[in-house]
């Protein structure tokens, strides 16, 4: 997986009644969760994201259905197919992301390290590359 992105497997606590996954700050998730949002009802031909974050850390979990999650750290890119709820995609560096190929039942739950702040978004790919170079100096 490219630098700045990691897949984290969650433990499934299962018994005859079914399954349960628990996520705690600094245990399954390496930050304090300050916000949760979810993405659903997305059309299959839609591309979401197309931005990077300066500081925000996030854990993306595909609760149902599937989608493709493209991550790009400015040097390398990778398309990760998300299709299960016992793995999370942890993004902890400025990473350009684009989500596509949503199944009609896709629900993406995102745990975030901070509250919603439009100042943390970079919407231009060129700006993202310049920002990456400046923080890597
Ligand atoms: C990310 C990817 C994976 C809010 O009001 N509060 C929020 O916390 C968020 C995340 C969004 N919004 C509003 C802003 C827009 O009017 O919801 C609308 C859709 O947000 P956006 O266009 O940013 O959605 P995506 O799917 O392109 O991106 C989102 C997150 O914004 C982003 O942080 O990493 O999901």
């Amino acid at each position: 997986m490219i630098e700045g992105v990691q897949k984290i497997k969650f433990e499934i606590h299962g018994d005859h009644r079914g399954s349960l996954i628990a996520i705690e700050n600094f245990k399954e998730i390496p930050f304090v969760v300050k916000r949760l949002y979810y993405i659903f009802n997305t059309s299959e031909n839609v591309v979401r994201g197309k931005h990077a974050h300066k500081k925000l850390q996030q854990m993306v979990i595909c609760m149902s259905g599937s989608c493709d999650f493209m991550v790009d750290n400015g040097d390398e890119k990778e398309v990760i197919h998300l299709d299960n709820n016992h793995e999370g995609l942890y993004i902890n560096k400025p990473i350009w992301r684009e989500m596509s190929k949503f199944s009609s039942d896709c629900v993406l739950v995102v745990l975030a390290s901070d509250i919603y702040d439009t100042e943390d978004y970079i919407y231009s790919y060129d700006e993202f590359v310049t920002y990456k170079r400046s923080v890597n100096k």
Side-chain angles (χ1 to χ4, degrees):
M1 197 139 298
I2 69 168
E3 210 226 318
V5 181
Q6 202 184 326
K7 242 187 188 178
I8 295 184
K9 266 204 167 114
F10 305 127
E11 188 183 349
I12 303 174
H13 305 275
D15 59 27
H16 65 281
R17 299 167 300 170
S19 307
L20 183 153
I21 288 174
I23 296 174
E24 292 183 20
N25 297 334
F26 299 128
K27 232 171 131 190
E28 291 76 11
I29 199 161
F31 58 85
V32 172
V33 178
K34 288 203 185 159
R35 176 169 52 113
L36 177 151
Y37 60 90
Y38 38 102
I39 298 170
F40 58 104
N41 274 347
T42 304
S43 304
E44 200 195 333
N45 54 352
V46 152
V47 180
R48 301 190 68 116
K50 294 189 181 171
H51 59 251
H53 284 284
K54 295 176 193 160
K55 300 248 159 39
L56 191 71
Q57 298 178 62
Q58 300 201 102
M59 180 75 83
V60 182
I61 306 163
C62 186
M63 280 299 159
S64 77
S66 64
C67 72
D68 280 355
F69 204 104
M70 191 279 281
V71 282
D72 176 346
N73 64 12
D75 295 316
E76 298 172 276
K77 55 174 89 172
E78 191 170 337
V79 177
I80 297 150
H81 186 65
L82 300 181
D83 63 359
N84 72 71
N85 58 20
H86 52 270
E87 279 180 330
L89 191 64
Y90 172 52
I91 305 175
N92 76 341
K93 292 253 170 74
I95 297 282
W96 188 263
R97 80 261 342 246
E98 295 183 9
M99 302 90 82
S100 62
K101 298 195 182 146
F102 288 86
S103 64
S104 56
D105 57 347
C106 183
V107 180
L108 282 188
V109 169
V110 184
L111 307 174
S113 64
D114 215 337
I115 57 166
Y116 182 58
D117 176 11
T118 51
E119 294 292 310
D120 191 64
Y121 282 72
I122 305 172
Y123 286 107
S124 143
Y125 187 80
D126 290 346
E127 243 176 71
F128 159 66
V129 172
T130 308
Y131 180 80
K132 273 291 283 193
R133 280 197 199 120
S134 72
V135 294
N136 286 346
K137 266 185 195 164

